[in-house]
Amino acid sequence: MYISKDEARQFLVNYHNLNGSQHYCGSEGVVHYFTKVRSIQYDPLNVVGRNADLVLQSKIKDYKPEMLQKLLYKEHRLVDGFDKEMCIYLSEDYSRFERIRTASGMSTKNTLAHRNQLDALEILDDVRDYIRKNGAIGSKDISIGQNSENRWGHKKLSSAALDYLYTIGELCVVNKNGTQKQYDFTENVLPSHLLKTDSIKGEDEFLLWYIKRRVGSVGMVWDKNGGAWQGHFLSDKVKREQTLNELCEAGEIIRLYVEDIKTPFYIKKGDEHHFTNTSKNDQIRFLAPLDNVLWDREMVKQLFDFEYRWEVYTPAEKRKYGYYVLPVLYGDQLIARFEPEKMNTKNPFTIKNWWWEPDVKVTNDLLDAINIAIYDFCRYLDTCVAVQSVLTNT
């Protein structure tokens, strides 16, 4: 297939329901979206909601954060775990992530060694016994062994031990209070049928499943190292290319080319219908900093002519825009970005700074669409709005 950049953008907008074409609504809409993308990225920073909530508010009509909490910690249809990085994914995929948990466990051991915290592995049985006696716990509930030699990582060895047991899958997050995780044995949290032995045999079969799954997480992704291929088993370009070729030959995915870009792109077989929705889309969406659409920043630059960098870890004096900046999607174009004030119980939603992209024509229709998006964003935040006079047609 050969497509234009316009068609590529429209595909991504349709695929991720950024135009409302798939009518995802409420909790079941969240599940439908996860069934498609399988995974979204989690980040604990909370300025106007955490990343996972920001991802879902842009795609699910009437979304509220309580929906995600219920699906995670009441119904257990979703689970916290490592995929691209820290992610939330469908619980039905849990057994197939055994290789990821093993690889993540090795990485955690290496990190503990680097931080001189390997003693945490010597108290694993003590931590297990504590949970058996006391039930689900957070890191604040247990204090075994202090570590003050390194300013990085956990200050208590018991906290490092909890994190390790979670990483390898022995423990599961059963609840969160803000960013504080509460752990219990996974067998006490997830239904037994989700804990069956991994049915995938061998790394080659695993890669076929995992790479096809990652294609679906983005919707359309190119074969180029970057954020879309972040995580264990995916950064080896030679193996990845071999697997992509196998999936193409098997008819599981489709290779396509986008105008003026030499690198091939891939979509899952059966997703071609997302090219066919050509209805006018004049809706505004505020995207999460780690939205699936934005996982590969270079790909976004090529398709949307939009350079985006999340600057939360950039020193203030080196930031081009701001600490926590959200891209603004209008139809299939990224037309602006804004920095919100950090929310608290006293302040309404406030836009601190707004930056238009070059050559954007600001019309009354565009401003009306932005105002509609702002008020829906406030509904998601359960707050009122106080917008500075940055949104003018000048």
Side-chain angles (χ1 to χ4, degrees):
M1 294 179 64
Y2 292 86
I3 63 173
S4 67
K5 289 183 179 180
D6 287 347
E7 290 173 313
R9 291 194 304 272
Q10 289 164 7
F11 175 93
L12 288 168
V13 167
N14 291 337
Y15 185 86
H16 289 281
N17 199 41
L18 288 163
N19 54 5
S21 61
Q22 294 164 77
H23 308 292
Y24 294 159
C25 182
S27 293
E28 286 307 310
V30 174
V31 174
H32 284 308
Y33 183 66
F34 267 97
T35 301
K36 175 180 287 185
V37 301
R38 313 305 292 185
S39 180
I40 62 177
Q41 195 164 342
Y42 172 80
D43 187 89
L45 289 178
N46 187 349
V47 176
V48 282
R50 295 186 175 86
N51 184 76
D53 291 316
L54 287 167
V55 169
L56 294 170
Q57 64 79 29
S58 67
K59 302 167 178 66
I60 312 300
K61 187 176 185 297
D62 298 332
Y63 174 76
K64 298 292 287 185
E66 294 80 13
M67 297 173 184
L68 182 59
Q69 291 290 107
K70 184 178 180 181
L71 290 167
L72 276 165
Y73 307 125
K74 298 295 184 184
E75 299 179 2
H76 304 297
R77 296 167 79 178
L78 303 174
V79 65
D80 294 286
F82 287 91
D83 183 1
K84 177 180 181 287
E85 286 191 359
M86 290 189 297
C87 285
I88 297 168
Y89 60 82
L90 283 168
S91 298
E92 65 189 51
D93 285 345
Y94 186 81
S95 66
R96 291 189 161 190
F97 268 78
E98 185 177 324
R99 283 178 172 80
I100 303 297
R101 290 190 289 274
T102 299
S104 297
M106 293 301 298
S107 295
T108 301
K109 280 186 178 181
N110 292 335
T111 299
L112 290 173
H114 180 70
R115 294 173 176 171
N116 296 317
Q117 292 182 326
L118 279 174
D119 287 348
L121 302 182
E122 302 298 322
I123 62 168
L124 295 181
D125 284 339
D126 294 329
V127 172
R128 293 182 181 109
D129 289 341
Y130 191 93
I131 297 173
R132 290 189 187 101
K133 292 176 183 177
N134 298 278
I137 63 168
S139 59
K140 291 183 177 180
D141 302 319
I142 181 173
S143 183
I144 304 175
Q146 300 298 314
N147 182 81
S148 58
E149 296 180 12
N150 196 310
R151 67 189 183 94
W152 300 106
H154 300 287
K155 300 303 180 186
K156 296 186 296 186
L157 291 180
S158 52
S159 297
L162 280 171
D163 186 59
Y164 175 74
L165 290 170
Y166 160 65
T167 300
I168 64 173
E170 194 169 329
L171 299 182
C172 187
V173 178
V174 69
N175 202 1
K176 279 185 191 154
N177 182 12
T179 60
Q180 295 296 314
K181 301 183 186 75
Q182 190 176 27
Y183 302 97
D184 198 354
F185 291 110
T186 302
E187 62 192 25
N188 296 336
V189 179
L190 296 182
S192 58
H193 71 276
L194 298 179
L195 304 179
K196 63 183 184 298
T197 303
D198 182 9
S199 60
I200 297 177
K201 298 178 181 179
E203 185 173 306
D204 290 343
E205 185 178 339
F206 170 76
L207 284 175
L208 289 169
W209 171 77
Y210 196 42
I211 286 177
K212 179 183 176 183
R213 182 182 181 279
R214 182 60 62 89
V215 171
S217 292
V218 184
M220 178 190 296
V221 62
W222 61 3
D223 182 21
K224 194 172 185 179
N225 284 346
W229 296 114
Q230 194 171 350
H232 296 292
F233 300 100
L234 297 175
S235 59
D236 186 330
K237 193 175 189 310
V238 174
K239 278 191 175 182
R240 189 177 72 234
E241 192 170 296
Q242 290 173 348
T243 305
L244 287 167
N245 287 336
E246 285 187 52
L247 288 167
C248 282
E249 291 170 6
E252 297 288 323
I253 64 173
I254 297 170
R255 181 185 293 112
L256 53 87
Y257 290 88
V258 178
E259 61 174 329
D260 301 327
I261 300 176
K262 293 182 179 180
T263 304
F265 287 71
Y266 297 88
I267 64 173
K268 290 196 305 179
K269 178 67 176 177
D271 287 337
E272 304 95 308
H273 65 281
H274 291 296
F275 285 111
T276 62
N277 186 353
T278 58
S279 59
K280 183 181 179 182
N281 174 23
D282 55 3
Q283 300 178 63
I284 289 285
R285 294 287 187 267
F286 301 147
L287 300 188
L290 303 173
D291 194 287
N292 296 43
V293 175
L294 303 175
W295 278 3
D296 192 307
R297 308 292 200 220
E298 179 61 26
M299 191 179 92
V300 169
K301 179 181 176 182
Q302 293 294 322
L303 295 181
F304 289 86
D305 193 23
F306 185 86
E307 290 193 54
Y308 180 67
R309 181 182 179 188
W310 200 34
E311 298 181 303
V312 290
Y313 302 114
T314 303
E317 65 276 9
K318 295 184 178 180
R319 290 178 192 143
K320 184 175 180 181
Y321 295 102
Y323 171 72
Y324 202 95
V325 172
L326 278 61
V328 179
L329 181 76
Y330 182 47
D332 63 2
Q333 298 284 346
L334 289 164
I335 61 161
R337 67 195 83 201
F338 73 92
E339 181 182 17
E341 291 278 8
K342 182 173 174 59
M343 290 286 299
N344 59 46
T345 55
K346 297 180 180 179
N347 294 336
F349 170 60
T350 304
I351 293 176
K352 184 177 179 181
N353 289 299
W354 181 282
W355 299 270
W356 295 107
E357 284 295 283
D359 302 323
V360 171
K361 184 179 180 181
V362 183
T363 65
N364 288 330
D365 286 344
L366 173 54
L367 293 177
D368 288 343
I370 291 172
N371 284 327
I372 291 170
I374 286 173
Y375 280 97
D376 188 61
F377 197 70
C378 290
R379 178 209 55 77
Y380 141 73
L381 292 170
D382 196 21
T383 188
C384 56
V385 60
V387 181
Q388 296 178 355
S389 59
V390 293
L391 303 182
T392 66
N393 59 356
T394 59

